[in-house]
Amino acid sequence: MSLRASSNAVDCLVIGAGHNGLVCAAVLARAGRSVLVLEAGQTIGGASVTREFAPGFRVSAGAHLLHSMPATLRHELRLEQHGLIAAATRMPTTALLEHAPPLAVEAWACGVESEARAAFDARMRRVARALAPIIERRPPRIGSGGMRDVLEWLRSALRLRLLGRRDLRELLRVGGMNVYDLLEEQFESVALQGALALDAVLGSNFGPRSPGTVFTLLYRMAGQELALAEGTELPRGGMGAVCAALAAAATAAGAAVRTGAPVARIVIDADRASGVELADGERIAARTVISSADPKTTLLRLVGPRHLDAGFVRRVDRLRGRGLAAKLHLALDRAPAFTGLEPGRLGSRLLIAPSMAYVERAFDHSKYGEFAPEPVMEITVPSAVDPTLAPQGRHVLSAVVQYAPYELKGGWSDGRAGAIERLLGMLERHAPGLRDSVVGAELLAPPDIEREFRIDGGHWHHAELAFDQFHLLRPVPGASGHRLDIPGLYLCGAGCHPGGGVIGLAGRNAARCLLEHGE
Amino acid sequence: MSDRPDPPAHYREPLLQTPFHARARALSQVDQFTPWSGYTTVDVFTTVEQEYFAIRNAAALYDLTPMSKYRIGGPDAVDFLDRLLTRRASGLAPGRLAYCLWCDDDGHLVDDGTLFRLDETEYRLCAASRQLDWLAASAIGFDVQIDEVTAQIAALALQGPTSCSVLKAAGLVGIEHLKPFQLGRYDCGWPLIVSRSGFTGDLGYELWMEPDHALGVWDRLHEVGRSRGLRAIGSKALNVARIEAGFIAPNIDFIPASHALRANRARSPLELGLERFVDFDKGHFTGRRALLAERERGPRRRLVGLDVGGNKPAHDALLYAERAGRREVGAVTSAVWSPTCKRNIALAMVNWPHCTEGSALWADIYLNRELVWERRMTAARVVDRVFFSPERRRRTPAVDA
């Protein structure tokens, strides 16, 4: 049966109501397309969601900080008008240390290193600023010969050239380095090194000594450049507020969002995407289908290899997308008391990464399927700045935990309790008495993240963000960008450039790409 | 985390020997062997001419064992093959085989070969070179079982006008009724699968058997074939016959896409003049979108037959549009003096529009005359590349004279 003939076909059908799907829907609806968003879950939000995990306690279950959503995108979609309010902006970062008082990372400077720190920050920021447009814009296609692609190449080259000889030379020197070596040559303070190195490896399958980690650090910084004014931010009501605002923007522009509608497959008719079939057999016709699901789910499951070329399928199948970060959620009956932490800094990013060696050691265990005995954590206590998340006087702790292997030796069902115990023990060392205040705990290991957020492999970038899966090579070589070989089919998720982390650019760029092609 | 076993140390092994090797070694008079897919095979037993005339005038026996063979089964076998091959696999009836091609994503030929449908559920794919890597890549997402069975099946090609009569005499009852591209199970004292197929463009058969039966079958065929002119042949003589038949050979007429290092070296079925084996209407197959785009754009070059003047084979000759040799328009890939057609023939890759039939070209032939090189600019004409295709090739019941 041909779906294209039916008269009720929507112009654009977006699979997944995560932030990228909703951004894409909003941009398309604002351009006058009829848009339907289908979400498999009962609520919208994808991995940018707030949900209850213990009675009365709510938490950002996936991403827990907003740090790279471009200001331009927020203005374009008027997210503030649609209800996105910050509970905290320009969040500071604090390194928790066991035998020393906590360290205010952004302000830290001491003696001879003050100058080094200032010079390092300034240079890294200059480079990040030059890279920001590369992050923000769609990668050019290789060999297309199209004017747009040639201009895009020239533009990127010019941006980098304008860095000037010294910075460009420095970028070429450090660009392929590991962050361990870079920080080792820049700073003496192991505490500062550890805190800075964490940003390079957070959410990745890397340790500080892994190749390409200066690149991942610059990447994160470039994203932050795009969001500069607000800095790192905690939205009021948790990360779910981001998607609520995006959904409001989309529906205000005329898009419809349907939850509880899992897509079983994308219908390909005469080599063109013509709609989707839901798990219950219902068919919905569409002129174009845009998927925000990860590339493996979209291409191998929803489209299916028989509609794709074998070489392409092999590349997709080979995508590295196993998550190595877990999420810990704690419900606390009182405010955690971190040793030596000024009360005002409870709302900052709290890092347990006391040295690069510590982080590397934690990573080492993950290579052999073990949960780190001494894990690395990025902790937030969002209830310190947002009272809507927990009952009066009580608190919520949310932490990204590195490194939690997808395939834990012995399995997660047996290993979970031990892992939580280890994390509580670690927290107890920094905040004595915390363990006794816990009234609810949840640990989302990568397989849980895979299940809850429907991300194959449970990686928050959908596919590892690394040199070989970046820009032109993302999601796979020969298929960069959003438009697939099958006419009418687009990708708009974190598997596309520039990746995950609640940026929203993949969604926006996919929508723009579609509009440019007149679909 | 799973520890993978070490790959087999194949690089330590010398060339493998086929189950027929003992007999081939004994028959070889000039000791000319050549490696093929990891096996030692015979280039020439006696002289190329003698072996060639066995193919065209009597019966020739050629050891096919190094052909890479894959057993393909499982619930998705047909879907897998339809997505792999450029022609429709679902149309192949049990007991039939078909010549087929498979391409990479860019629509470039990975290799060509034959697909056998042994019964309702089991297929066998034969190719000149190893294909497991590409088959494995193509199998992602399909419930299909692929086994390399190259070493488990010994194979002989029996080709030529008396081939049917040899098989009949060997005890293969009813072999004359086997149609082209049909296969059947027979017995000559040992069980055989016989397909009416081959690489010579003549009446001929291919015999597939268990390695343990190989020598018995070989001896039996030689015994009954003596009076019918049967002769073991090497790949040199076969090469002459296949050029006459207009068949392409990998690494000679095209570079398999997976071997090509330089851009623009791999070739598509459209460029190779094989579009009749590409079915754009059967649904998706690997390379389909690229091939559609190429068809839309129009061909840039094409593999054609050449009728070359004189009697000196135009080996590796560059082709020009005019005698002065200024505008190069292509190159010869295979060339031979055809003893049967009494023509100087060649296969050549020629640029558009000089590849149209009837185009007049000039071949720049270099001749080594006792270490003195001479250059002959020779007129050549683009012709249909099937130079030899006798009626007995198609006739059923087969000629059993």
Side-chain angles (χ1 to χ4, degrees):
Chain A
M1 166 191 110
S2 168
L3 288 178
R4 239 177 312 159
S6 66
S7 55
N8 60 353
V10 291
D11 291 333
C12 304
L13 194 150
V14 178
I15 299 172
H19 61 278
N20 274 318
L22 291 170
V23 166
C24 185
V27 174
L28 291 171
R30 285 163 57 88
R33 301 294 187 275
S34 64
V35 181
L36 172 63
V37 184
L38 295 176
E39 167 57 43
Q42 294 305 322
T43 54
I44 62 158
S48 175
V49 69
T50 311
R51 64 155 169 78
E52 196 173 64
F53 70 102
F57 293 86
R58 292 162 67 236
V59 72
S60 302
H64 66 180
L65 289 169
L66 192 61
H67 54 73
S68 292
M69 185 173 269
T72 52
L73 179 63
R74 296 167 66 143
H75 296 319
E76 183 184 335
L77 299 180
R78 301 200 194 98
L79 295 189
E80 276 66 26
Q81 271 123 293
H82 288 292
L84 181 63
I85 304 165
T89 54
R90 297 170 191 277
M91 274 176 77
T93 299
T94 309
L96 300 176
L97 305 168
E98 243 180 289
H99 306 293
L103 189 93
V105 174
E106 69 288 340
W108 185 89
C110 100
V112 287
E113 285 204 80
S114 317
E115 232 170 274
R117 177 78 199 270
F120 174 78
D121 278 359
R123 177 179 288 148
M124 290 294 273
R125 186 150 305 142
R126 284 198 302 273
V127 173
R129 206 169 297 147
L131 291 175
I134 297 173
I135 304 278
E136 188 178 13
R137 302 175 62 83
R138 262 182 286 149
R141 290 164 302 163
I142 303 176
S144 74
M147 206 52 199
R148 197 196 85 89
D149 293 309
V150 174
L151 284 175
E152 198 59 47
W153 278 115
L154 292 174
R155 213 187 158 101
S156 305
L158 184 66
R159 272 317 281 214
L160 291 176
R161 193 66 197 84
L162 286 177
L163 270 175
R165 179 186 297 207
R166 283 172 58 128
D167 283 348
L168 185 58
R169 209 177 264 177
E170 184 65 5
L171 173 62
L172 293 175
R173 185 181 75 88
V174 305
M177 263 169 91
N178 66 60
V179 76
Y180 191 103
D181 289 349
L182 178 67
L183 296 176
E184 189 66 33
E185 79 177 22
Q186 298 285 333
F187 302 113
E188 296 277 322
S189 159
V190 290
L192 179 67
Q193 288 172 341
L196 294 177
L198 181 62
D199 275 353
V201 297
L202 207 59
S204 75
N205 278 263
F206 299 132
R209 280 189 151 133
S210 305
T213 38
V214 170
F215 161 77
T216 48
L217 179 63
L218 282 169
Y219 205 87
R220 185 180 166 102
M221 292 178 69
Q224 286 164 343
E225 282 302 315
L226 295 171
L228 199 58
E230 288 81 7
T232 302
E233 194 176 337
L234 267 176
R236 190 180 169 85
M239 292 299 284
V242 177
C243 279
L246 286 170
T251 46
V257 181
R258 216 176 118 183
T259 55
V263 171
R265 68 185 186 96
I266 294 169
V267 179
I268 310 291
D269 238 357
D271 210 30
R272 195 191 155 84
S274 64
V276 299
E277 189 178 296
L278 301 186
D280 62 9
E282 184 191 346
R283 282 191 171 207
I284 301 170
R287 282 176 193 86
T288 51
V289 176
I290 308 108
S291 174
S292 70
D294 65 272
K296 283 191 192 183
T297 298
T298 303
L299 296 166
L300 303 185
R301 279 204 12 243
L302 301 182
V303 175
R306 60 198 65 195
H307 296 292
L308 300 166
D309 289 341
F312 177 67
V313 167
R314 171 156 63 181
R315 291 197 292 280
V316 173
D317 189 57
R318 286 288 179 193
L319 255 184
R320 297 196 314 286
R322 281 284 170 86
L324 193 55
K327 252 330 264 310
L328 175 74
H329 305 140
L330 296 179
L332 309 173
D333 67 2
R334 56 181 180 271
F338 288 96
T339 312
L341 189 73
E342 297 162 30
R345 288 189 78 91
L346 187 59
S348 65
R349 284 170 77 217
L350 305 167
L351 309 182
I352 299 183
S355 71
M356 293 196 289
Y358 176 98
V359 180
E360 185 72 24
R361 212 157 37 235
F363 170 62
D364 285 343
H365 287 273
S366 72
K367 289 189 272 186
Y368 308 103
E370 296 159 7
F371 186 67
E374 300 209 295
V376 173
M377 298 165 91
E378 181 202 51
I379 302 161
T380 62
V381 185
S383 48
V385 292
D386 182 356
T388 67
L389 297 173
Q392 183 70 33
R394 300 179 169 215
H395 282 277
V396 167
L397 182 148
S398 162
V400 174
V401 179
Q402 298 271 123
Y403 295 88
Y406 179 95
E407 279 181 358
L408 185 70
K409 218 182 260 177
W412 276 105
S413 45
D414 288 341
R416 185 180 311 271
I420 292 176
E421 191 49 41
R422 201 173 288 174
L423 291 168
L424 289 178
M426 174 58 64
L427 287 168
E428 181 75 20
R429 275 150 66 179
H430 291 279
L434 182 136
R435 185 194 290 273
D436 291 337
S437 69
V438 174
V439 293
E442 175 185 61
L443 180 69
L444 297 180
D448 307 310
I449 292 172
E450 176 175 62
R451 209 166 25 247
E452 176 164 351
F453 305 119
R454 298 180 177 79
I455 301 169
D456 187 281
H459 196 300
W460 78 31
H461 285 299
H462 286 195
E464 188 71 51
L465 201 54
F467 260 139
D468 63 330
Q469 297 191 157
F470 155 71
H471 203 228
L472 297 164
L473 307 175
R474 193 168 182 89
V476 294
S480 66
H482 304 275
R483 208 160 172 250
L484 291 165
D485 271 353
I486 300 176
L489 186 59
Y490 289 78
L491 291 177
C492 74
C496 302
H497 181 76
V502 196
I503 304 176
L505 283 173
R508 185 191 73 182
N509 291 348
R512 287 187 177 173
C513 173
L514 186 150
L515 294 170
E516 254 172 46
H517 285 93
E519 292 194 290
Chain B
M1 224 175 277
S2 63
D3 289 321
R4 272 186 245 171
D6 287 340
H10 53 82
Y11 52 89
R12 291 185 202 279
E13 293 180 21
L15 287 175
L16 302 170
Q17 297 181 348
T18 79
F20 304 104
H21 185 79
R23 298 291 187 274
R25 173 66 66 183
L27 279 178
S28 169
Q29 292 182 9
V30 290
D31 211 26
Q32 283 192 31
F33 292 80
T34 190
W36 171 18
S37 280
Y39 284 89
T40 300
T41 57
V42 179
D43 236 2
V44 184
F45 279 97
T46 55
T47 69
V48 176
E49 290 74 17
Q50 201 168 29
E51 292 167 27
Y52 166 80
F53 281 110
I55 301 174
R56 288 295 179 230
N57 296 341
L61 201 58
Y62 181 70
D63 182 358
L64 268 185
T65 309
M67 282 282 272
S68 297
K69 310 169 204 84
Y70 301 92
R71 180 171 54 218
I72 296 166
D76 288 347
V78 182
D79 291 346
F80 162 79
L81 289 165
D82 264 333
R83 198 291 211 98
L84 173 76
L85 307 173
T86 60
R87 68 189 292 185
R88 200 185 290 266
S90 39
L92 190 66
R96 302 276 306 168
L97 61 142
Y99 173 71
C100 53
L101 315 168
W102 49 102
C103 293
D104 68 1
D105 294 16
D106 299 325
H108 293 141
L109 194 62
V110 175
D111 208 348
D112 62 346
T114 41
L115 178 69
F116 293 70
R117 186 165 181 192
L118 299 176
D119 52 38
E120 278 299 326
T121 54
E122 194 182 319
Y123 290 85
R124 186 187 295 161
L125 188 66
C126 296
S129 59
R130 306 272 178 182
Q131 297 296 324
L132 198 55
D133 179 62
W134 186 245
L135 297 182
S138 299
I140 296 169
F142 291 87
D143 187 359
V144 61
Q145 173 73 31
I146 301 167
D147 298 302
E148 161 115 36
V149 291
T150 302
Q152 278 96 291
I153 299 165
L156 288 171
L158 179 65
Q159 305 276 308
T162 66
S163 54
C164 178
S165 126
V166 170
L167 289 179
K168 253 177 103 170
L172 276 67
V173 179
I175 188 71
E176 68 274 21
H177 299 296
L178 195 70
K179 293 179 194 145
F181 292 105
Q182 195 182 6
L183 61 93
R185 286 164 204 277
Y186 295 90
D187 201 289
C188 66
W190 295 272
L192 291 173
I193 290 179
V194 179
S195 56
R196 186 162 164 192
S197 50
F199 205 45
T200 60
D202 204 331
L203 172 64
Y205 301 86
E206 287 170 326
L207 284 51
W208 314 85
M209 68 212 81
E210 283 182 33
D212 289 347
H213 304 156
L215 293 181
V217 173
W218 175 281
D219 292 341
R220 178 96 184 107
L221 293 174
H222 275 272
E223 185 188 311
V224 299
R226 201 161 298 132
S227 60
R228 293 170 177 84
L230 181 125
R231 177 177 282 282
I233 63 156
S235 44
K236 281 258 171 81
L238 181 65
N239 191 49
V240 179
R242 72 96 193 160
I243 298 172
E244 291 176 332
F247 294 149
I248 57 170
N251 296 313
I252 298 175
D253 302 297
F254 73 97
I255 299 292
S258 48
H259 298 189
L261 298 177
R262 296 168 180 82
N264 305 324
R265 291 300 192 272
R267 294 287 174 256
S268 80
L270 309 185
E271 291 175 317
L272 292 166
L274 300 171
E275 53 279 324
R276 67 186 181 283
F277 302 108
V278 180
D279 183 351
F280 285 110
D281 301 324
K282 68 163 184 163
H284 186 68
F285 58 87
T286 298
R288 179 176 182 272
R289 293 178 193 114
L291 288 170
L292 271 177
E294 186 187 336
R295 191 173 70 169
E296 195 77 6
R297 245 192 347 256
R300 299 211 169 115
R301 56 177 84 81
R302 193 176 173 84
L303 189 75
V304 297
L306 282 188
D307 193 329
V308 186
N311 59 3
K312 302 289 182 257
H315 294 302
D316 305 324
L318 291 178
L319 299 170
Y320 294 94
E322 61 326 83
R323 184 167 200 162
R326 273 190 296 269
R327 211 150 29 104
E328 192 187 311
V329 296
V332 167
T333 55
S334 294
V336 75
W337 166 260
S338 164
T340 302
C341 305
K342 305 282 185 281
R343 285 161 87 189
N344 193 16
I345 63 173
L347 303 180
M349 189 56 83
V350 181
N351 294 344
W352 180 262
H354 304 281
C355 53
T356 49
E357 221 166 291
S359 294
L361 303 175
W362 293 88
D364 194 2
I365 303 174
Y366 283 69
L367 297 173
N368 183 341
R369 322 206 96 184
E370 295 177 319
L371 300 185
V372 174
W373 284 93
E374 287 180 12
R375 218 179 133 183
R376 296 268 171 88
M377 199 56 106
T378 312
R381 200 162 44 84
V382 174
V383 295
D384 180 19
R385 75 171 192 236
V386 182
F387 298 98
F388 178 75
S389 184
E391 202 253 329
R392 63 174 181 254
R393 174 187 183 183
R394 285 167 294 273
R395 190 199 290 171
T396 314
V399 190
D400 57 0

